[in-house]
Amino acid sequence: MTKKYLLAPGPTPVPANVLLSMAMPMIHHRAPDFLPILESARAGLKWLFQTKNDVLILCSSGTGGMVASVTNFFNTGDKVLVVNGGKFGERWTKICETYGLKVKEITVEWGYAVKPSDIESILKAEPDIKGVFMQAVETSTGVYYDVETIAKIVRNFENTLLIVDAISALVAHDIKSDDWGIDIMVGGSQKGLMLPAGLSFVSISDKAWKANESSRLPRFYFNLKKERDNLLKNQTNFSSPVSLIIGLNEAIKMLQAEGLENVFARHARLANATREAVKAIGLNLFSKESPSNSVTAIMMPEGIDGQTVYKNLREKYGVTGAGGQDKAKGKIYRLAHLGYADTFDVIVGIASLEMALKGLGYNIQLGKAVAKAQELLMK
Ligand SMILES: *Cc1c(COP(=O)(O)O)cnc(C)c1O
């Protein structure tokens, strides 16, 4: 038997109480039993997204929420700005282009963060830009972008919406939707929220609802106005993923018991220990600036292939992290500390990485990285 550990930046481990809550017998989503369940989820999501606006719940993976953020607020030919610093930034471009939007990209070298001032100068020069699309955490590079500064810039442009894909950042980073002025923020269930994949979440500002009135892109399944009208009656437009929403309530209950500030502090502490531990054995971070608290992207040493490390960890030790994507493939290994993660998840991740690297010929003294992590995690 090999005991398995899931340390990927999604899907992430699901706590036993959340799993058990989802095993409850099925109830009908139009029956009265479901109303308080969705009502509680609505309240919980507002708390988590730090917004007074309703957060819509869609039955889809995170990408569905991204698609809905394009199709409900824009028109064919609209000019938009996309921050592309990795695989998920690239996804924004692909979705926007699929629906006929004219995309201008700010390309950011992988491993770096977008400069808010660059966004500001582009918006000043081209005030006809209708939307700025970005990630909070670009999961493929492990970089956190400065959402706060960017939001404070974009909110000054009356006809420009800020759309933030916070799918891998929610729960790990303190993102204040309303205070900062984020128009649309997208979340997903299988990352920080400690659930299986299947739910996406979209929060929408008044400014964005205004844009919704004149948006004519084709949409049927992800019709956010209809979702909102239904949500006000504690219903969803189509069949609700009842079990997942019950699980969501259970997960939010855990986060509320901990308290938002403590949840963020836990992620910061785990991320810091992971980063310092790998540096202690001579490894570099792939994120050259602003490394995220969700996932740590680690550069592999010369001559050691990241995919081999990933496979070795999976097959020999039962530890599933993530390799690199696209141009980072083979160069990096990613360890998440996201959602249902605590001290000994970091220890497992770091200890197993040391073992895999040593086994593949990297000259290290076993335990050095673990010792560093232990030292930091005792605090
Ligand atoms: C995981 C992730 C997504 C969504 O992926 P799905 O597979 O559709 O859930 C989108 N953006 C980021 C930054 C992610 O990490």
Side-chain angles (χ1 to χ4, degrees):
M1 185 197 88
T2 306
K3 185 166 175 180
K4 296 202 164 109
Y5 300 87
L6 183 57
L7 299 175
T12 64
V14 181
N17 52 313
V18 174
L19 288 168
L20 281 170
S21 74
M22 294 190 293
M24 200 175 115
M26 196 43 53
I27 57 174
H28 197 287
H29 60 282
R30 304 283 178 220
D33 340 11
F34 186 61
L35 303 184
I37 293 172
L38 196 54
E39 187 170 12
S40 155
R42 270 175 75 189
L45 286 169
K46 284 184 188 190
W47 170 80
L48 186 66
F49 276 62
Q50 307 190 52
T51 178
K52 63 169 183 32
N53 299 311
D54 264 311
V55 181
L56 304 181
I57 303 172
L58 304 176
C59 183
S60 74
S61 81
T63 307
M66 294 172 77
V67 168
S69 307
V70 173
T71 57
N72 284 268
F73 304 98
F74 296 93
N75 285 294
T76 309
D78 278 354
K79 196 205 275 186
V80 295
L81 186 63
V82 170
V83 176
N84 182 352
K87 275 316 268 184
F88 292 99
E90 197 179 292
R91 185 168 302 178
W92 272 135
T93 294
K94 286 184 184 164
I95 298 168
C96 289
E97 288 181 343
T98 299
Y99 290 95
L101 275 57
K102 278 196 297 201
V103 174
K104 181 183 175 85
E105 279 193 341
I106 297 194
T107 47
V108 180
E109 192 181 336
W110 283 38
Y112 290 83
V114 66
K115 284 193 191 63
S117 56
D118 287 353
I119 294 181
E120 188 166 30
S121 16
I122 293 175
L123 290 181
K124 277 187 174 150
E126 302 175 51
D128 57 333
I129 288 173
K130 297 272 172 62
V132 176
F133 290 84
M134 65 180 291
Q135 269 58 48
V137 170
E138 173 51 78
T139 319
S140 61
T141 64
V143 174
Y144 176 76
Y145 296 153
D146 185 354
V147 185
E148 179 174 9
T149 307
I150 296 168
K152 287 177 174 168
I153 291 168
V154 179
R155 72 202 262 175
N156 297 321
F157 292 84
E158 211 178 309
N159 299 313
T160 312
L161 299 178
L162 176 65
I163 301 96
V164 178
D165 161 8
I167 294 170
S168 62
L170 258 179
V171 174
H173 286 271
D174 185 3
I175 304 179
K176 302 186 190 301
S177 310
D178 286 2
D179 284 1
W180 298 352
I182 296 167
D183 293 300
I184 297 166
M185 186 153 94
V186 185
S189 53
Q190 81 277 24
K191 309 269 166 101
L193 271 158
M194 314 182 277
L195 291 162
L199 296 178
S200 66
F201 313 106
V202 187
S203 71
I204 300 156
S205 72
D206 292 341
K207 185 173 165 188
W209 279 120
K210 198 127 194 73
N212 169 262
E213 289 169 16
S214 53
S215 161
R216 298 283 173 267
L217 285 176
R219 65 187 85 106
F220 183 79
Y221 185 63
F222 296 128
N223 187 325
L224 298 185
K225 175 132 193 329
K226 286 196 174 163
E227 290 295 346
R228 181 176 69 165
D229 293 346
N230 275 283
L231 197 62
L232 296 174
K233 298 177 279 183
N234 289 316
Q235 303 257 318
T236 55
N237 200 11
F238 301 103
S239 294
S240 307
V242 169
S243 306
L244 281 170
I245 294 173
I246 290 171
L248 171 67
N249 283 339
E250 192 67 24
I252 289 176
K253 224 193 303 173
M254 289 173 73
L255 295 170
Q256 288 182 329
E258 188 177 1
L260 259 192
E261 291 309 315
N262 296 330
V263 169
F264 300 140
R266 170 166 55 86
H267 284 87
R269 175 176 155 270
L270 300 178
N272 180 55
T274 304
R275 297 194 280 256
E276 294 307 316
V278 298
K279 287 188 208 159
I281 49 169
L283 301 177
N284 294 313
L285 301 182
F286 184 66
S287 321
K288 302 291 180 293
E289 47 193 23
S290 189
S292 81
N293 292 339
S294 318
V295 57
T296 299
I298 306 155
M299 295 279 285
M300 291 295 100
E302 270 303 309
I304 294 187
D305 180 67
Q307 289 307 106
T308 310
V309 171
Y310 164 78
K311 266 186 75 176
N312 187 266
L313 279 164
R314 246 186 84 81
E315 289 165 10
K316 193 158 179 202
Y317 300 109
V319 178
T320 300
Q325 296 165 282
D326 209 340
K327 64 178 113 168
K329 199 166 190 152
K331 291 191 189 150
I332 65 172
Y333 177 69
R334 291 176 298 155
L335 264 179
H337 19 74
L338 179 57
Y340 190 47
D342 208 346
T343 302
F344 290 95
D345 295 289
V346 172
I347 299 298
V348 166
I350 295 296
S352 60
L353 179 61
E354 283 189 329
M355 288 156 82
L357 288 174
K358 177 117 185 163
L360 292 168
Y362 185 49
N363 183 20
I364 48 165
Q365 183 198 327
L366 287 177
K368 204 167 165 195
V370 170
K372 187 70 194 174
Q374 285 174 312
E375 193 187 296
L376 291 166
L377 291 167
M378 281 178 74
K379 287 175 193 155

